[in-house]
Amino acid sequence: MLMIKAGLLIDGTGAPPLQNVAVAVEDGRIESIIPAATISEVEREVVDLGGATLLPGFVDSHVHLTFEPSADHEAVRATLAADDRETLALRAARNAQLALLAGVTTLRDCGGPGFVTLRVRDAINEGIILGPRILASGPPITTTAGHLHFLGLTADSRDEVLKAGRVLVEAGVDFIKVCASGGNMTPGSNAYAAQYSAETLTALVVDAHRLGLQVVAHAQSADAIRYAAQAGADSIEHCAWLGENGSVEYDETTMDAIVEKGLYVGFTFPGIFRALLPTSKERDPSQARRLEELQEKVAVYRRMLSAGALALVSSDAGVRLTRFEDFAQSLEVMLSGCGATPLEVITAATRRPAQAMGLGHKIGTLEAGKMADMVAVDGDPFDDIRALRRVRAVIRGGRVVVWQGRLVVGRQPA
Ligand SMILES: [Zn+2]
């Protein structure tokens, strides 16, 4: 049995933090959490994290592993277009490992070209390479000329959309991603309008559920959000409530329906939002207008949170300016921008996304019987959320996979 000792433990259930504890791990699972003073160091294998704070491993519910996070959308698309399949797979593997360094032990890949990410997922599961647990959608379903059409799966009519969903199931995806509106990364796709009718989205959700898979909907525009909510899409990503001229048109009735139906809402805070953080270099007066726009965007998430949204905080890593190793910064944006408490933020990055993905029985909290997926950080995130940037160690399935900021391949640290 392995004993992991830490100064503080936040189990992710909402219970108060525990001091000086040891987590007993057997066969990759948590057996018990006990006072550190009661363990006998002679008979047990001990990993001592000193005064660090132990939390459930992070779950980043929206990333794009095959993307190279360049400075602008054009460069991201250009790299994608230039990469062959082998390069895409290697890039995805590297990005998955960078996420692991940030404490992300599970991630949901919301779209890439072909089935590259599924192969990376399998390689990690088979132990060929080190990485986080991956849930992958393969290419998103979108319209001709629609958002992310260049990832290769376009479907226009209701029947084509159903067929596309079934093709994905056959290929072994973990969930289905559909682009319910256009998106900023795809020129000409119109992020301010819906791409599919409520009827088409409903048909897709019903069929996906019949086959045991969830539907995750990209929805920037207010009407796309309405249609996705009506269809019962399991998770609505971005949820920016954009009206036809790009201004925010928040719709309380639809938001209430989203909460009522228990649909999850993806609070994606990619790199551009980080200009809002107090530590950002971009907070100079010349950027005032831009910061104001970002504040308006974040304000809508604040409203959704007070309406009771089941928020999932994610990075959208891979898109412009969004590195995989910076997940904690998305959490900081949620805290400072949405007025969320540290516990709400941590829940939105651990227990809730685990539940949203149907993995709540296995991961997301530190409790007896769950997988020993943990992250140790320097400092107390309840005092200072930036502690989450200071990852000291990461444990996945009871194995130390990151130690002092480095991946551990091979022998475990003594
Ligand atoms: Zn995305």
Side-chain angles (χ1 to χ4, degrees):
M1 189 182 318
L2 174 69
M3 282 287 178
I4 298 162
K5 276 171 68 176
L8 200 66
L9 179 136
I10 297 170
D11 69 9
T13 65
L18 297 170
Q19 275 180 341
N20 299 317
V21 293
V23 181
V25 177
E26 183 84 73
D27 293 331
R29 288 179 187 276
I30 298 170
E31 199 187 75
S32 57
I33 297 170
I34 56 173
T38 62
I39 70 170
S40 141
E41 308 218 356
V42 269
E43 49 186 313
R44 301 191 195 270
E45 194 189 338
V46 177
V47 173
D48 193 346
L49 295 164
T53 302
L54 208 50
L55 302 113
F58 299 133
V59 182
D60 191 348
S61 49
H62 190 134
V63 303
H64 300 276
L65 284 171
T66 48
F67 293 12
E68 178 68 29
S70 309
D72 53 56
H73 291 318
E74 291 68 28
V76 176
R77 288 197 311 270
T79 309
L80 262 175
D83 279 355
D84 57 23
R85 286 293 142 113
E86 291 79 2
T87 308
L88 286 167
L90 290 165
R91 193 185 299 290
R94 182 208 59 188
N95 287 340
Q97 293 184 338
L98 291 173
L100 199 61
L101 286 172
V104 176
T105 49
T106 299
L107 54 79
R108 185 164 73 174
D109 186 88
C110 285
F115 298 107
V116 169
T117 320
L118 276 65
R119 301 290 89 83
V120 175
R121 170 197 70 188
D122 296 345
I124 291 171
N125 289 343
E126 288 159 20
I128 298 170
I129 52 166
L130 190 65
R133 176 184 295 100
I134 294 174
L135 278 78
S137 68
I141 301 175
T142 192
T143 62
T144 303
H147 182 44
L148 302 177
H149 66 82
F150 44 82
L151 297 180
L153 188 57
T154 54
D156 295 306
S157 67
R158 176 187 171 281
D159 287 354
E160 282 174 3
V161 167
L162 283 183
K163 172 96 179 177
R166 291 172 189 170
V167 166
L168 291 171
V169 174
E170 211 171 79
V173 302
D174 298 297
F175 65 99
I176 287 169
K177 168 87 182 290
V178 63
C179 295
S181 76
N184 308 330
M185 198 183 152
T186 311
S189 70
N190 194 358
Y192 309 153
Q195 296 198 148
Y196 293 113
S197 66
E199 291 69 31
T200 297
L201 288 178
T202 303
L204 175 66
V205 170
V206 168
D207 203 50
H209 287 178
R210 174 180 70 86
L211 297 167
L213 292 194
Q214 295 189 346
V215 175
V216 171
H218 159 104
Q220 301 263 42
S221 85
D223 54 358
I225 296 167
R226 271 190 285 276
Y227 301 161
Q230 207 177 313
D234 301 274
S235 169
I236 302 176
E237 299 295 295
H238 313 303
C239 223
W241 299 99
L242 302 177
E244 59 183 23
N245 60 5
S247 62
V248 171
E249 285 179 17
Y250 183 76
D251 166 1
E252 244 167 66
T253 315
T254 301
M255 192 59 227
D256 289 346
I258 291 170
V259 174
E260 182 85 0
K261 286 186 172 189
L263 309 178
Y264 293 93
V265 181
F267 286 31
T268 46
F269 293 127
I272 50 158
F273 282 97
R274 294 169 195 166
L276 290 171
L277 294 176
T279 48
S280 171
K281 291 184 193 80
E282 294 173 63
R283 290 179 68 92
D284 66 83
S286 69
Q287 295 291 320
R289 179 69 203 118
R290 222 184 114 234
L291 287 176
E292 218 172 276
E293 277 172 21
L294 283 172
Q295 255 139 13
E296 275 168 40
K297 283 188 174 162
V298 171
V300 80
Y301 292 100
R302 186 188 281 260
R303 287 188 75 174
M304 287 191 277
L305 206 59
S306 28
L310 294 170
L312 312 176
V313 63
S314 62
S315 66
D316 215 352
V319 304
R320 64 175 170 173
L321 303 168
T322 313
R323 308 187 316 164
F324 286 80
E325 55 269 53
D326 295 334
F327 181 55
Q329 294 183 33
S330 297
L331 277 60
E332 291 172 32
V333 172
M334 183 175 172
L335 184 108
S336 59
C338 302
T341 65
L343 181 64
E344 280 175 318
V345 172
I346 290 167
T347 303
T350 54
R351 179 169 56 127
R352 191 170 303 119
Q355 287 167 341
M357 295 177 194
L359 296 173
H361 59 294
K362 269 173 85 171
I363 57 166
T365 58
L366 300 181
E367 293 174 279
K370 296 243 178 129
M371 298 299 296
D373 285 6
M374 303 176 238
V375 53
V377 300
D378 275 325
D380 179 353
F382 282 2
D383 282 346
D384 176 11
I385 195 79
R386 281 173 302 181
L388 300 178
R389 289 190 192 197
R390 298 189 292 271
V391 172
R392 184 187 284 191
V394 181
I395 292 142
R396 196 196 148 190
R399 241 189 85 83
V400 178
V401 289
V402 174
W403 187 251
Q404 291 168 350
R406 290 194 168 83
L407 288 180
V408 178
V409 182
R411 223 157 57 89
Q412 290 284 281

